Amino acid sequence: MNTGEMIHMLRKNKGMSQLELAKNITTRRSIGEVEHGYKDLPYTTMIKIIQRLGISLSNFEEYRQGHQFSADQALINEFESISDTSEVTNLQLKCNK
């Protein structure tokens, strides 16, 4: 999976819009161009995007290289990235599905 596809998938899984992902980091248009494979972002910008997606750089690279996370590991990664109580409720809903 290429970087743009990974960003698109992770963004959709988090329920984020391109604008939400880009806010104070880059432009919505840049996110769209990356997701469609038209553009690469600078390394420091990519780090910020990956952090906003709630995944470590090493996990991002591992997943991008085709090493699939188990459903349990994906939930653990999401839990580790929770920043407020409203996100706990969203994660609880996912666990109950």
Side-chain angles (χ1 to χ4, degrees), residues 16-33:
M16 296 175 78
S17 69
Q18 289 178 341
L19 188 59
E20 290 169 322
L21 181 58
K23 187 176 182 178
N24 298 325
I25 298 174
T26 189
T27 64
R28 188 224 42 91
R29 182 178 178 161
S30 289
I31 296 296
E33 289 173 342

Side-chain angles (χ1 to χ4, degrees), residues 59-70:
N59 282 345
F60 180 86
E61 278 302 312
E62 189 173 309
Y63 194 58
R64 192 179 67 78
Q65 296 296 329
H67 299 96
Q68 301 276 334
F69 291 135
S70 69

Side-chain angles (χ1 to χ4, degrees), residues 14-80:
K14 298 250 332 152
M16 296 175 78
S17 69
Q18 289 178 341
L19 188 59
E20 290 169 322
L21 181 58
K23 187 176 182 178
N24 298 325
I25 298 174
T26 189
T27 64
R28 188 224 42 91
R29 182 178 178 161
S30 289
I31 296 296
E33 289 173 342
V34 167
E35 288 182 356
H36 287 95
Y38 303 139
K39 178 180 186 172
D40 290 322
L41 294 173
Y43 181 76
T44 55
T45 303
M46 284 301 299
I47 297 298
K48 291 175 185 176
I49 295 294
I50 291 166
Q51 288 173 336
R52 180 155 296 158
L53 290 167
I55 189 168
S56 71
L57 182 58
S58 61
N59 282 345
F60 180 86
E61 278 302 312
E62 189 173 309
Y63 194 58
R64 192 179 67 78
Q65 296 296 329
H67 299 96
Q68 301 276 334
F69 291 135
S70 69
D72 290 344
Q73 184 62 47
L75 285 172
I76 289 168
N77 290 343
E78 194 167 339
F79 179 77
E80 289 173 346

